[in-house]
């Protein structure tokens, strides 16, 4: 599933290439089940001009000149790509034909993602985003540390909890815990403030590095122009169960925390 860095990379790419472009027509090969219906969505966007593209949590937000916002949640296999106009392809769900002859497409092979259009002021009332926690790139590590210390829950589960901190998924939780030297099963109440601050400092560094490297491409993710990411080449632990730790040479192990596989080094990340 695309996490904060991947959606941020897409948002930045689209903001540079589609801002100022007007939606001339819309083609709908087949929207996903959770998407807004074609009948209500299309009239909201026809003739509208893109004013900005941004991200909140793991959601891609395309703002329009009438105050409406197109919201894309990519889930596991969703893609939003801007490029030359072309015919609809197998997994395309909706195609926005722009006034310069280009195409903004939303494709989703597994159909778990969705697109919805919120009218002026409606996005602020969307329950999904209202429950999202603070942004880790915009919030001081000291403030984020306060949200996990004292919690009687595994620190990995707290990182994955979108109401605790927004946008973090399995990849970046594992990588930041490794850099901070914290075992994923350690309870928040046993992490301590100093180590919690270090954790969120490392989380920010991991996210910023991933954004700089165009995100992580493991199976389906591509950026706004169809290019793969490169941060997967920098993984220390994620997906490396049974391989040697890059820091100490020990064998990496995996456990299940909050229903997700968590890979760690038992030497560098001792449980407390």
């Amino acid at each position: 599933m695309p996490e904060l860095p991947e959606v941020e990379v897409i948002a930045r790419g689209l903001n540079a290439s589609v801002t100022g472009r007007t939606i001339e027509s819309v083609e709908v090969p087949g929207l996903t089940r959770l998407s807004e219906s074609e009948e209500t969505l299309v009239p909201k966007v026809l003739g509208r001009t893109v004013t900005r593209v941004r991200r909140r949590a793991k959601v891609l937000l395309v703002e329009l000149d009438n105050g409406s916002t197109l919201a894309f949640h990519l889930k596991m296999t969703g893609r939003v790509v801007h490029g030359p106009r072309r015919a609809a392809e197998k997994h395309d769900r909706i195609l926005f034909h722009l006034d310069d002859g280009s195409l903004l497409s939303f494709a989703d092979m597994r159909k778990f993602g969705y697109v919805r259009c919120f009218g002026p002021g409606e996005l602020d009332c969307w329950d999904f985003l209202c429950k999202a926690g603070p942004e880790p790139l915009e919030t001081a590590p000291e403030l984020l540390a306060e949200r996990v210390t004292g919690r009687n829950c595994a620190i990995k589960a707290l990182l994955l909890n979108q109401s605790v901190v927004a946008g973090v998924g399995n990849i970046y939780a594992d990588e930041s815990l490794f850099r901070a030297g914290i075992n994923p099963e350690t309870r928040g109440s046993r992490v301590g403030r100093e180590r919690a601050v270090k954790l969120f400092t490392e989380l920010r560094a991991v996210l910023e590095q991933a954004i700089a490297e165009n995100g992580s491409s493991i199976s389906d993710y591509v950026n706004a122009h169809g290019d793969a990411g490169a941060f997967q080449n920098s993984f220390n632990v994620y997906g490396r169960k049974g391989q040697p730790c890059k820091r100490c040479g020990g064998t990496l192990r995996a456990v299940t925390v909050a229903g997700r596989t968590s890979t760690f080094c038992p030497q560098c990340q001792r449980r407390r």
Side-chain angles (χ1 to χ4, degrees):
M1 178 184 293
E3 301 180 26
L4 185 156
E6 290 74 44
V7 182
E8 181 68 22
V9 168
I10 295 171
R12 293 183 185 185
L14 291 180
N15 191 57
S17 66
V18 303
T19 296
R21 300 270 61 89
T22 298
I23 299 172
E24 285 193 333
S25 63
V26 182
E27 186 179 351
V28 186
L31 285 167
T32 56
R33 181 177 60 84
L34 294 177
S35 292
E36 184 175 346
S37 70
E38 175 183 354
E39 292 73 22
T40 62
L41 189 152
V42 173
K44 293 179 183 178
V45 303
L46 273 178
R48 303 268 57 99
T49 299
V50 177
T51 58
R52 182 171 68 143
V53 184
R54 62 185 179 93
R55 175 198 58 79
R56 171 70 171 113
K58 299 179 185 179
V59 181
L60 180 69
L61 301 171
V62 179
E63 298 179 356
L64 305 176
D65 61 349
N66 65 343
S68 296
T69 303
L70 270 171
F72 297 88
H73 200 316
L74 305 182
K75 290 292 186 174
M76 297 182 69
T77 58
R79 295 181 172 186
V80 178
V81 176
H82 180 228
R85 195 164 292 188
R86 56 170 174 74
E89 298 176 351
K90 181 177 180 180
H91 300 300
D92 285 333
R93 304 303 163 197
I94 188 168
L95 306 172
F96 302 91
H97 298 273
L98 306 181
D99 62 343
D100 63 347
S102 64
L103 181 74
L104 181 65
S105 63
F106 170 52
D108 189 2
M109 179 178 66
R110 298 189 66 178
K111 303 181 183 180
F112 294 139
Y114 55 86
V115 56
R116 299 174 187 172
C117 187
F118 294 87
E122 292 179 349
L123 191 67
D124 295 334
C125 302
W126 186 19
D127 189 55
F128 180 83
L129 288 187
C130 286
K131 292 180 178 178
E135 292 285 338
L137 295 178
E138 302 169 8
T139 309
E142 292 78 8
L143 295 177
L144 292 173
E146 294 175 1
R147 301 178 68 84
V148 300
T149 52
R151 300 281 293 270
N152 193 30
C153 184
I155 190 65
K156 171 69 178 284
L158 292 171
L159 287 176
L160 297 180
N161 186 334
Q162 297 301 293
S163 67
V164 174
V165 58
V168 181
N170 215 29
I171 294 173
Y172 302 104
D174 277 3
E175 292 297 312
S176 58
L177 285 167
F178 173 78
R179 293 192 186 193
I182 299 173
N183 186 287
E185 294 183 293
T186 301
R187 296 185 182 276
S189 58
R190 297 187 64 84
V191 170
R193 186 179 184 280
E194 183 178 344
R195 290 208 305 157
V197 171
K198 179 175 176 57
L199 169 61
F200 287 107
T201 301
E202 295 293 350
L203 173 62
R204 177 179 288 190
V206 167
L207 296 174
E208 289 176 342
Q209 181 183 346
I211 291 169
E213 296 182 13
N214 209 32
S216 301
S217 289
I218 298 173
S219 57
D220 298 284
Y221 163 73
V222 293
N223 69 7
H225 305 294
D227 299 320
F231 186 69
Q232 66 274 9
N233 300 318
S234 300
F235 288 170
N236 285 302
V237 289
Y238 181 81
R240 299 188 63 243
K241 173 187 174 182
Q243 297 182 42
C245 172
K246 295 180 180 180
R247 182 180 293 166
C248 73
T251 302
L252 299 180
R253 293 178 52 196
V255 294
T256 300
V257 181
R260 306 297 301 276
T261 299
S262 302
T263 307
F264 68 102
C265 175
Q267 298 300 317
C268 299
Q269 298 168 265
R270 294 182 182 276
R271 186 174 179 179
R272 295 191 179 186

